[in-house]
């Protein structure tokens, strides 16, 4: 009897143990949140901006780079809230798109060497401008978008100061320098004289939600040319034109996000050429530049930035002609006799003209967001650019501003890779989730390609 | 027949188990049933490990106890921002034990303990969102402890053991900075270390006994490990060479335990234990690679010392059958800021059941099972904290431990 009972008890314990184990193989449950749009309506989203918004990457626009533009990544996440979300992009059809940079190798200074892949202009004309500032340049026309006036109104190179330029996207103006933008041209029907502001007005008419990120387009050409080409925009024009666009975008109480511009010194084009960075590569040398004041040769200071073209050449032994005749060998940029030339440097006077213009625009954007439109703004300097300037880890992957390896910036050293765009899109989502009580999942940048190069 | 089949299955496909941190459950089928409250429990040879002093408190017979145990640790993860759910592959983690004791004289007893007190086996899906933090991580250890105890008088005895531990680790993570989904880093190493174990056991009356024990910390010195990196871009070969030698020190904690056992009537014994485990020395895991620059891979853990409370009861139903039950509360050594997918631990509340059944005069079969529920842990991420890469989300964990063994006394 006792044996029987014992045996039964033993069996019971084992069955209990096994039963619980079987039950235990069910992993503990979790309450997975249901994505929702909260108080916002994302069903028709319009994105207004410049190169960043268009998905410009690796020095060009390609079908791949457009696919990973931050507005497109954002729209894909918005669609997860269960609302039907439409978002049209002016996607190029041929792989090489508007041409892009490819990586050829590295210089002795470990600066990436790039080569430009030619665009596919689909048989459309071009304008070879031999007298362009900074050397001969060609303006190409690109195949027209299948969808004219798409919801992604990001136009590479568009400036706030140009938003009321009539014919900015009319092929007839192809050879009018600074009066024409070929990326805008392909978004409009042929021969259309509409201004960018009118295009924004037309597209936003039936939109329910917008993002606005402009201002960098007004600064980048000036920075890239070492202050030799392009002009410093007038602060009052920047502010007034931003308001004009935002007035249209917010018409009828439309909701959206206003993005602020980052500090230019954090972008790799300037950051990697900051005097301290350069000095750490050449600790025993002095860096000489030709710069203001008085266009004289002087030592580089903390607010002078050597541009990528200068970095690639820096320290190269070159033959220079002595003032009194005769030649000698002098290392580029590290010898008083062979200083960095003006277009290889954004000197501190140039920097303190262009950077504060964007800062002033930011101040105005905050005022407009807080006081006029009662809309959220996204301080990209704080939320994004400053964070990545100091390296960040996302799910175990390190992201830095280092070109190629850092996985944030593309080879042109200011536009973003697909993963950089994902990190940027996540900051927009963060604002939507807090401001509109939406519940939108983030993009995982680690699952996206490291480059948009085909 | 069924029983034999079941026990066979349990022994060899054993389940996985844990105490605070990556401690691996009470190391014996009897004490597992008691919830591990065994510092003053002298009815099982496993006391050698939990209190060498209590070896002097065992009866004069020679005891051999052998068994297998296993832990299953199902864990789910919900990404805070991704809304993605990831579940660990529930991989049973096997362990085992062998204890032998013998009275040499009336005063002196000796014993040997072989068991697997630390270990874990974490396996996330290879493509989960934290794949670049950890895909798989495991630690296995075996502790060997020759022990002697001296009976000072009828009521008190002291004991000491020398501990030699040997263990191996393996950690695998994806290198998500590359497009190649097969890019990964694998770190492996094996090594040993030595420590000691001291204990005191006393009877204050016929019914009440107590024990105090201290097990020293020890360090597994892994010297001939290997790191392999696959799918690394050419410009990063300096940091991630194809293969490299690896050395690492894995610091295992010491523990201080105090326990009481109280006989209530003829049939019932109640035991209480309090244990403080010195996890704070598990501050970080440092891997040194001989062919990589930088040569150090540092994983910051910053564990805290952790307490455990255990209560067990044993009821002699008959000469043949003894039933056990226990309740445990195990504090987690893992701080909120350092909750990590490699070992997402939480404070655990558990219950256990067990029994011994005397098969013959000298042999009994022992079985024990415990279930623990870990408190939900939320990992909040500071993306600028590069020393502690992590994923943001909520972990929920349960722990099942089962053990089956034989005890032979003669």
């Amino acid at each position: 009897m006792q044996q029987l009972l014992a045996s039964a008890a033993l069996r019971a314990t084992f069955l209990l143990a096994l039963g619980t184990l079987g039950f235990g193989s069910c992993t503990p449950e979790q309450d997975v949140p249901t994505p929702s749009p909260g108080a916002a309506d994302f069903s028709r989203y319009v994105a207004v901006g410049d190169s960043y918004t268009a998905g410009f990457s690796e020095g060009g626009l390609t079908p791949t780079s457009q696919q990973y533009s931050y507005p497109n990544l954002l729209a894909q996440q918005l669609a997860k809230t269960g609302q039907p979300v439409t978002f049209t992009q002016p996607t190029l059809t041929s792989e090489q798109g508007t041409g892009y940079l490819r990586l050829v190798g590295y210089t002795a200074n470990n600066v990436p060497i790039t080569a430009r892949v030619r665009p596919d202009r689909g048989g459309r004309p071009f304008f070879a401008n031999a007298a362009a500032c900074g050397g001969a340049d060609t303006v190409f026309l690109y195949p027209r978008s299948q969808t004219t006036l798409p919801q992604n109104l990001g136009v590479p190179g568009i400036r706030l100061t140009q938003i009321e330029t009539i014919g900015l996207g009319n092929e007839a103006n192809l050879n009018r320098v600074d009066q024409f933008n070929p990326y805008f041209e392909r978004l409009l029907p042929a021969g259309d004289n509409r201004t960018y502001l009118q295009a924004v007005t037309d597209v936003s008419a039936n939109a329910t939600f917008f993002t606005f990120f402009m201002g960098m387009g007004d600064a980048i050409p000036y920075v890239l040319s070492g202050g030799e080409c392009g002009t410093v925009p007038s602060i009052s024009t920047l502010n007034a034109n931003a308001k004009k666009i935002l007035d249209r975008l917010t018409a009828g109480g439309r909701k959206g996000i206003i993005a602020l511009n980052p500090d230019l010194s954090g972008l790799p084009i300037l950051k990697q050429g900051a005097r301290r960075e350069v000095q750490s590569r050449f600790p025993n040398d002095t860096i000489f530049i030709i710069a203001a004041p008085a266009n004289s040769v002087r030592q580089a200071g903390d607010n002078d930035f050597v541009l990528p073209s200068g970095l690639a050449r820096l320290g190269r032994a070159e033959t220079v002609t002595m003032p009194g005749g005769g030649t000698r060998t002098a290392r580029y940029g590290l010898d008083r006799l062979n200083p960095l030339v003006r277009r290889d440097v954004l000197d501190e006077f140039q920097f303190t003209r262009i950077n504060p213009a964007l800062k002033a625009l930011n101040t105005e954007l905050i005022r407009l967001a807080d006081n006029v439109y009662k809309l959220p703004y996204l301080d990209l300097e704080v939320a994004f650019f400053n964070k990545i300037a100091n390296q960040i880890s996302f799910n175990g992957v390190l992201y830095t501003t280092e070109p190629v390896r850092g996985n944030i910036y593309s080879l042109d050293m200011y536009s973003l890779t697909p993963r950089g765009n994902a990190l940027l899109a996540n900051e927009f989502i963060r604002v939507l989730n807090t401001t509109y009580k939406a519940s939108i999942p983030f993009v995982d940048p680690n699952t996206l390609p490291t480059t948009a190069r085909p | 027949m069924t029983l034999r089949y079941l026990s066979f299955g349990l022994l060899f496909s054993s389940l996985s188990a844990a105490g605070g941190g990556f401690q691996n459950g009470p190391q014996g089928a009897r004490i597992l049933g008691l919830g591990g409250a065994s510092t003053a429990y002298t009815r099982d040879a496993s006391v050698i490990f939990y209190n060498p002093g209590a070896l002097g408190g065992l009866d004069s017979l020679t005891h051999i106890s052998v068994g297998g145990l296993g832990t299953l640790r199902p864990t789910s993860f919900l990404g805070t921002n991704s809304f993605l759910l990831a579940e660990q592959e529930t991989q049973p983690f096997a362990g085992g034990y062998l204890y032998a004791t013998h009275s040499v004289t009336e005063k002196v007893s000796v014993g040997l303990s072989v068991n697997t007190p630390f270990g874990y086996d974490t396996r996330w899906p290879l493509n989960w969102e934290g794949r670049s933090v950890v895909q798989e991580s495991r630690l296995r250890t075996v502790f060997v402890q020759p022990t002697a105890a001296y009976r000072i008088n009828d009521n008190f005895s002291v004991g000491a053991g020398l501990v030699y531990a040997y263990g191996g680790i393996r950690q695998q993570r994806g290198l998500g900075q590359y497009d190649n989904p097969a890019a990964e880093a694998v770190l492996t190493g094996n090594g040993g270390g030595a420590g000691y174990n001291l204990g005191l056991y006393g009877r204050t009356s016929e019914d009440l006994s107590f024990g105090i024990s201290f097990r020293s910390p020890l360090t597994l010195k892994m010297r001939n490990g290997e790191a392999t990196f696959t799918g690394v871009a050419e410009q990063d070969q300096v940091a991630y060479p194809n293969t490299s030698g690896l050395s690492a020190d894995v610091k295992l904690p010491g523990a201080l335990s105090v326990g009481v056992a109280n006989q209530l009537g003829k049939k019932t014994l109640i035991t209480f234990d309090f244990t403080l485990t010195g996890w704070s020395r598990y501050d970080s895991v440092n891997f040194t690679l001989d062919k990589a620059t930088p040569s150090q891979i540092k994983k910051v853990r910053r564990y805290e010392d952790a307490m455990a409370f255990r209560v067990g009861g044993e009821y002699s139903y008959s000469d043949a059958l003894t039933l056990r039950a226990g309740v445990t509360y195990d504090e987690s050594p893992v701080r909120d800021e350092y909750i990590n997918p490699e070992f997402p631990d939480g404070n655990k509340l558990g219950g256990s059941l067990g029994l011994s059944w005397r098969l013959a005069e000298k042999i009994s079969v022992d079985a024990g099972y415990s279930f623990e529920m870990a408190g939900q842990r939320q990992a909040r991420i500071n993306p600028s904290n590069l020393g502690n890469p992590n994923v943001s989300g909520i972990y929920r964990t349960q722990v099942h431990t089962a053990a089956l063994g034989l005890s032979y006394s003669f």
Side-chain angles (χ1 to χ4, degrees):
Chain A
M1 179 61 204
Q2 218 164 63
Q3 280 240 331
L4 208 70
L5 193 81
S7 147
L10 193 60
R11 261 172 226 222
T13 310
F14 269 109
L15 288 175
L16 189 72
L18 284 175
T20 322
L21 285 170
F23 168 76
S25 54
C26 301
T27 308
E29 283 182 15
Q30 303 244 20
D31 295 326
V32 182
T34 311
S36 90
D41 176 0
F42 301 125
S43 56
R44 284 190 66 82
Y45 160 39
V46 58
V48 171
D50 49 42
S51 307
Y52 287 91
T53 305
F56 195 84
S57 188
E58 313 285 358
L61 210 56
T62 60
T64 313
S65 80
Q66 291 179 298
Q67 180 189 348
Y68 297 109
S69 69
Y70 80 81
N72 200 42
L73 294 174
L74 178 58
Q76 285 168 12
Q77 299 307 105
L78 297 180
K80 292 180 180 171
T81 60
Q83 262 185 333
V85 171
T86 61
F87 188 66
T88 50
Q89 292 214 111
T91 309
L92 290 149
T93 46
S94 83
E95 195 180 65
Q96 68 264 48
T98 66
Y100 58 91
L101 298 174
R102 64 186 175 86
L103 181 63
V104 177
Y106 293 88
T107 68
N109 299 341
N110 211 21
V111 176
I113 304 168
T114 58
R116 179 159 281 280
V117 174
R118 292 182 64 80
D120 179 353
R121 53 194 169 82
R124 302 197 66 198
F126 59 89
F127 165 53
N129 182 5
C133 175
D137 190 21
T138 307
V139 182
F140 294 97
L141 289 182
Y142 306 114
R144 195 175 304 285
S145 168
Q146 308 273 322
T147 325
T148 51
L149 290 180
Q151 283 163 276
N152 187 343
L153 277 180
V155 174
I158 189 96
R159 306 172 190 190
L160 272 172
T161 52
Q162 288 180 320
I163 60 163
E164 291 183 298
T165 303
I166 293 164
L168 185 72
N170 188 338
E171 183 185 341
N173 298 324
L174 172 60
N175 47 16
R176 293 183 62 194
V177 176
D178 281 342
Q179 302 290 308
F180 179 74
N181 184 318
Y183 299 97
F184 185 43
E185 193 269 350
R186 62 180 294 273
L187 306 190
L188 295 175
D192 198 313
N193 261 333
R194 266 181 283 186
T195 64
Y196 186 70
L197 184 61
Q198 283 165 335
V200 169
T201 312
D202 294 345
V203 176
S204 58
N206 60 354
T208 58
F209 169 74
F210 74 90
T211 60
F212 171 84
F213 178 21
M214 285 187 84
M216 298 287 278
D218 294 79
I220 295 283
Y222 182 84
V223 170
L224 286 176
S225 66
E228 302 301 295
C229 306
T231 47
V232 174
S234 125
I235 291 171
S236 57
T237 310
L238 287 179
N239 291 354
N241 286 4
K243 183 167 188 306
K244 282 177 190 166
I245 289 196
L246 285 167
D247 280 344
R248 308 293 164 77
L249 287 174
T250 56
R254 194 178 295 114
K255 291 185 166 109
I257 299 184
I258 299 164
L260 308 187
N261 291 283
D263 193 300
L264 294 168
S265 65
L267 299 176
I269 26 169
L270 295 187
K271 183 175 186 263
Q272 62 173 358
R275 192 193 67 84
R276 261 174 242 187
E277 295 275 330
V278 179
Q279 196 74 70
S280 67
R281 294 192 198 185
F282 299 95
N284 303 317
D285 291 294
T286 308
I287 302 148
F288 291 99
I289 61 174
I290 302 177
N295 204 19
S296 56
V297 178
R298 64 172 174 83
Q299 293 186 18
D302 277 345
N303 290 317
D304 297 314
F305 299 92
V306 181
L307 296 170
S309 56
L311 282 180
R313 196 175 143 198
L314 192 67
R316 196 183 291 168
E318 294 171 339
T319 306
V320 294
T321 308
M322 302 284 284
T327 59
R328 57 162 279 197
T329 303
R331 289 187 301 155
Y332 182 63
L334 303 178
D335 192 313
R336 188 173 278 280
L337 293 172
N338 193 12
L340 284 150
V341 299
R342 288 189 64 110
R343 58 169 299 115
D344 281 347
V345 178
L346 187 76
D347 70 45
E348 63 172 301
F349 298 94
Q350 295 162 334
F351 179 74
T352 51
R353 257 174 269 161
I354 190 71
N355 202 46
L358 292 188
K359 297 276 181 203
L361 172 61
N362 284 350
T363 309
E364 171 68 359
L365 290 174
I366 293 172
R367 186 190 73 82
L368 291 172
D370 284 348
N371 301 339
V372 180
Y373 306 120
K374 318 282 186 208
L375 284 177
Y377 64 87
L378 168 56
D379 188 342
L380 286 176
E381 175 63 12
V382 174
F384 181 67
F385 289 93
N386 197 19
K387 271 192 211 162
I388 60 179
N390 298 313
Q391 311 191 332
I392 57 162
S393 168
F394 189 97
N395 287 357
V397 176
L398 188 66
Y399 287 90
T400 73
T401 53
E402 193 183 351
V404 186
R405 245 184 244 182
N407 282 340
I408 293 177
Y409 287 103
S410 71
L411 285 174
D412 59 32
M413 315 260 181
Y414 68 92
S415 71
L416 302 172
T417 63
R419 293 186 180 198
N421 274 306
L423 291 166
L424 180 59
N426 285 346
E427 296 308 326
F428 281 91
I429 292 172
R430 202 187 296 278
V431 173
L432 294 178
N433 284 348
T434 47
T435 311
Y436 297 121
K437 304 280 176 263
S439 186
I440 305 161
F442 280 30
V443 192
D444 183 351
N446 302 355
T447 60
L448 302 186
T450 58
T451 168
R453 295 193 295 275
Chain B
M1 194 57 216
T2 319
L3 178 66
R4 204 181 284 172
Y5 176 75
L6 284 179
S7 46
F8 186 83
L10 269 184
L11 258 174
F12 292 94
S13 74
S14 43
L15 326 153
S16 48
F22 46 84
Q23 265 180 99
N24 204 4
Q27 296 285 300
R30 287 188 183 178
I31 60 174
L32 178 62
L34 280 178
S38 58
T39 307
Y41 178 72
T42 51
R43 294 183 188 171
D44 186 36
S46 67
V47 286
I48 312 171
F49 185 71
Y50 288 98
N51 181 1
L55 172 60
L58 291 180
D59 57 35
S60 59
L61 297 172
T62 294
H63 298 279
I64 294 172
S65 176
V66 59
L69 79 167
T71 308
L72 201 60
R73 214 185 155 89
T75 300
S76 63
F77 172 82
L78 175 67
T80 306
N81 293 324
S82 67
F83 302 1
L84 293 176
L85 193 65
E87 296 181 349
Q88 271 191 32
E89 286 170 41
T90 42
Q91 197 64 33
F93 184 76
Y97 60 90
L98 165 72
Y99 302 106
T101 68
H102 179 67
S103 306
V104 182
T105 69
E106 207 167 281
K107 293 276 190 193
V108 177
S109 302
V110 294
L112 178 72
S113 148
V114 180
N115 58 11
T116 54
F118 293 94
Y120 62 92
D121 189 357
T122 299
R123 297 177 191 223
W124 293 102
L126 290 182
N127 282 327
W128 83 295
E129 63 182 296
R131 63 181 286 271
S132 297
V133 179
V134 61
Q135 288 170 315
E136 293 184 5
S137 180
R138 63 176 161 270
L139 168 74
R140 290 178 186 283
T141 60
V142 176
F143 277 51
V144 179
Q145 181 194 315
T147 309
Y150 179 73
R151 191 180 292 212
I152 299 168
N153 57 35
D154 278 355
N155 289 333
F156 288 94
S157 52
V158 292
L162 283 174
V163 178
Y164 178 76
Y166 190 82
I169 50 166
R170 183 180 188 281
Q171 297 191 351
Q172 177 185 329
R173 71 179 189 94
L175 296 172
Q177 63 267 50
Y178 304 119
D179 288 312
N180 179 357
E184 64 177 24
V186 178
L187 311 177
T188 56
N190 292 292
Y196 58 88
N197 197 349
L198 303 174
L200 168 72
Y201 174 77
R203 268 191 202 106
T204 52
S205 72
E206 196 66 359
D207 298 331
L208 194 67
S209 57
F210 70 92
I212 302 171
S213 77
F214 175 72
R215 197 173 68 236
S216 77
L218 59 82
T219 301
L220 302 176
K221 294 185 185 303
M222 304 186 174
R223 290 295 171 266
N224 296 312
E226 190 185 38
T228 57
F229 299 95
T230 40
V232 173
E234 200 184 322
Q235 74 266 19
D236 290 341
Q237 295 281 345
V238 178
Y240 303 124
N242 286 342
T243 62
S244 167
L246 172 152
S247 62
D249 286 350
V250 176
K251 294 175 184 169
L252 298 176
L256 177 71
S257 298
V258 181
V260 177
N262 191 9
Q263 183 74 39
L264 302 173
K266 277 198 171 144
K267 296 200 158 185
T268 308
L269 178 78
I270 304 287
T271 61
F272 300 93
D273 258 31
F274 166 77
T275 302
L276 180 66
T277 307
W279 280 110
S280 56
R281 74 190 298 266
Y282 194 70
D283 186 58
S284 63
V285 193
N286 300 307
F287 298 94
T288 305
L289 275 56
D290 61 7
K291 289 206 190 72
T293 310
S295 62
Q296 294 279 339
I297 300 175
K298 181 172 182 170
K299 299 192 174 178
V300 183
R301 293 293 174 258
R302 299 208 53 212
Y303 276 25
E304 295 177 300
D305 292 345
M307 296 180 292
F309 302 90
R310 306 163 195 281
V311 183
E314 184 175 277
Y315 179 72
S316 305
Y317 180 82
S318 67
D319 279 353
L321 180 66
T322 307
L323 303 172
R324 299 185 189 89
V327 176
T328 60
Y329 179 75
D330 241 323
E331 199 184 40
S332 171
V334 186
R335 296 169 201 251
D336 280 345
E337 316 87 279
Y338 291 89
I339 279 294
N340 188 288
E342 194 179 319
F343 189 77
D345 197 24
N347 294 339
K348 293 190 292 288
L349 185 63
S352 59
L353 290 172
L355 59 82
S356 288
W357 180 33
R358 194 177 295 232
L359 292 173
E361 199 190 325
K362 292 173 180 170
I363 297 186
S364 65
V365 57
D366 310 312
Y369 167 76
S370 81
F371 173 74
E372 292 168 288
M373 193 81 164
Q376 169 177 303
R377 294 305 295 266
Q378 178 152 22
R380 289 189 176 82
I381 299 313
N382 173 3
S384 302
N385 185 352
L386 306 176
N388 187 30
N390 209 341
V391 268
S392 173
I394 293 169
Y395 296 93
R396 296 193 65 203
T397 302
Q398 296 169 352
V399 185
H400 304 271
T401 309
L404 184 69
L406 287 173
S407 299
Y408 185 61
S409 306
F410 57 97

